[in-house]
C-alpha cells in the first residue's frame, strides 16, 4: 500500500520517467538499425530493449519480476511475424490511403504497421498489468487501446521526422528520430498507466 500511495502523489515524475525510458529504448533500437544491425534490431531486439527499459520504471508500481521484458521480447517477435503475414493486405490499404490522402507511403505504412507489430506485445503486457490491478478486464482494455493508439502515433511521428531529418542527421543520431516516436508512444501509454493504477476515487479505494 505504501508504494502505491507514494506513486499516486508523483504522477508527473512517473510519466517523465516512463517517457524517458521509451525514448532511450527507441534511440538504442534506431542506433542499432542504422549502425550495422538493421534486421536484428527491428525484428528481434526491439521488444527486449523497449520492454527492459519500461520495466525499470514499472518497478515503481511493484512489477519487479522479469516477466515484463520477456513478454515484451516474445510479443514483439510474434507481432512481426503477424505483420509479415498481413503485409499484402497492408500494402493494398496503404496504397489506397496514400493515393486518397497523400502524406507519403512511408507515413501510412508506419501508421498501420506499428500497431500490428505491437499487438502481441501489448496483449502479453496487458495480461501482466491486469494481474497487478483489481479491475483486470478494464485495465487490459485500457492498455490495449493505449498501446494501439501510441503505436500509431509512434509510426506517424517517426515517418514524419525521418522525412525531415534522416537525410541530414549523422548515423549516430538517427536514433533520435526513432526515439522521439517511442517517446510519443510513452506519453499515450504513460497516461494509460496513470489511469490504471490511480484511477477514479472508487478505484483508489479498492486498491
Amino acid at each position: 500500500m505504501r508504494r502505491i500511495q507514494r506513486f499516486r502523489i508523483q504522477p508527473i515524475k512517473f510519466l517523465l520517467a516512463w517517457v524517458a525510458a521509451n525514448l532511450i529504448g527507441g534511440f538504442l533500437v534506431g542506433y542499432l538499425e542504422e549502425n550495422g544491425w538493421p534486421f536484428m534490431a527491428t525484428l528481434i531486439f526491439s521488444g527486449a530493449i523497449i520492454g527492459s527499459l519500461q520495466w525499470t520504471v514499472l518497478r515503481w508500481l511493484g512489477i519487479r519480476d522479469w516477466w515484463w521484458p520477456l513478454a515484451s521480447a516474445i510479443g514483439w517477435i510474434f507481432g512481426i511475424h503477424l505483420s509479415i503475414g498481413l503485409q499484402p493486405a497492408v500494402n493494398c490499404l496503404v496504397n489506397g490511403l496514400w493515393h486518397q490522402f497523400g502524406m507519403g507511403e512511408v507515413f501510412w505504412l508506419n501508421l498501420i504497421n506499428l500497431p500490428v507489430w505491437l499487438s502481441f506485445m501489448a496483449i502479453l503486457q496487458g495480461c501482466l498489468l491486469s494481474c497487478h490491478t483489481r479491475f483486470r478486464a478494464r485495465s487490459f482494455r485500457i492498455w490495449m487501446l493505449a498501446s494501439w493508439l501510441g503505436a500509431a502515433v509512434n509510426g506517424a511521428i517517426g515517418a514524419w521526422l525521418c522525412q525531415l531529418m534522416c537525410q541530414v542527421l549523422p548515423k549516430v543520431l538517427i536514433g533520435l528520430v526513432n526515439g522521439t516516436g517511442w517517446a510519443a508512444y510513452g506519453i499515450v501509454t504513460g497516461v494509460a498507466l496513470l489511469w490504471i493504477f490511480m484511477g477514479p476515487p472508487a478505484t483508489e479505494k479498492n486498491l
Side-chain angles (χ1 to χ4, degrees):
M1 178 67 72
R2 186 183 308 170
R3 186 184 298 115
I4 293 174
Q5 289 175 342
R6 188 176 71 174
F7 163 71
R8 285 175 178 170
I9 64 173
Q10 298 179 343
I12 300 301
K13 180 180 178 181
F14 174 84
L15 183 59
L16 290 175
W18 177 258
V19 171
N22 284 279
L23 188 153
I24 294 169
F27 173 82
L28 291 175
V29 171
Y31 177 84
L32 292 174
E33 288 175 345
E34 295 296 328
N35 291 275
W37 298 81
F39 296 106
M40 292 295 291
T42 302
L43 302 180
I44 306 297
F45 296 154
S46 294
I49 292 172
I50 298 293
S52 296
L53 285 161
Q54 289 176 341
W55 176 75
T56 64
V57 182
L58 288 172
R59 287 169 60 87
W60 298 5
L61 305 180
I63 303 176
R64 297 182 177 276
D65 54 58
W66 275 94
W67 285 113
W68 186 274
L70 181 61
S72 302
I74 294 173
W76 179 269
I77 294 171
F78 272 96
I80 289 290
H81 280 82
L82 175 64
S83 175
I84 292 173
L86 293 176
Q87 208 56 50
V90 169
N91 288 338
C92 289
L93 179 59
V94 165
N95 286 332
L97 292 170
W98 177 24
H99 289 99
Q100 183 70 29
F101 301 104
M103 302 290 290
E105 183 180 14
V106 175
F107 174 86
W108 294 110
L109 195 62
N110 279 14
L111 185 71
I112 295 171
N113 268 337
L114 259 294
V116 177
W117 293 354
L118 271 161
S119 56
F120 281 102
M121 179 173 160
I123 289 171
L124 295 180
Q125 289 177 341
C127 290
L128 289 174
L129 281 177
S130 67
C131 292
H132 291 265
T133 62
R134 185 175 181 103
F135 301 98
R136 296 187 175 187
R138 189 190 68 179
S139 298
F140 182 83
R141 290 194 299 269
I142 291 172
W143 182 252
M144 290 302 301
L145 290 173
S147 295
W148 282 324
L149 176 60
V153 173
N154 179 355
I157 289 179
W160 176 69
L161 285 178
C162 191
Q163 186 177 11
L164 293 177
M165 303 173 63
C166 282
Q167 298 300 320
V168 297
L169 283 176
K171 283 190 174 183
V172 294
L173 294 179
I174 287 183
L176 290 173
V177 172
N178 198 52
T180 302
W182 277 100
Y185 158 90
I187 293 173
V188 177
T189 54
V191 171
L193 284 171
L194 290 174
W195 174 255
I196 289 170
F197 282 91
M198 294 177 68
T203 303
E204 293 181 5
K205 182 178 179 181
N206 281 288
L207 281 174

